[in-house]
Amino acid sequence: MNSDLLFFLGVFWFIGLTIGWFFRNGISFIGLIVLLCLLPVFTAVSMIDWWPFTTAFVVGLLIHTWKPLYKKVQQL
């Protein structure tokens, strides 16, 4: 991988990480506002439609949201 590709993967990872931070304690009103404000980011990720960018974004998103998701799965 060249450095240009790693840079863009890092950018997508950081955007996902930032969005995930608003959901670190579960669904929140502020998190929903952030999702609405960052809708162009989701649109861009879906328009690019290349799995490394999408994977980097989702991994960044799940870093902060794994704990609430894990607790909900444990309660099932």
Side-chain angles (χ1 to χ4, degrees), residues 11-66:
V11 167
F12 277 88
W13 175 79
F14 185 75
I15 291 170
L17 184 72
T18 304
I19 294 171
W21 184 80
F22 288 98
F23 293 100
R24 67 194 180 279
N25 295 323
I27 299 292
S28 66
F29 183 69
I30 294 174
L32 294 175
I33 291 173
V34 168
L35 284 178
L36 289 174
C37 291
L38 294 177
L39 187 63
V41 173
F42 288 110
T43 305
V45 170
S46 65
M47 283 177 45
I48 292 172
D49 194 29
W50 191 48
W51 71 267
F53 286 151
T54 306
T55 304
F57 179 78
V58 170
V59 167
L61 185 69
L62 290 177
I63 285 175
H64 284 298
T65 58
W66 74 271

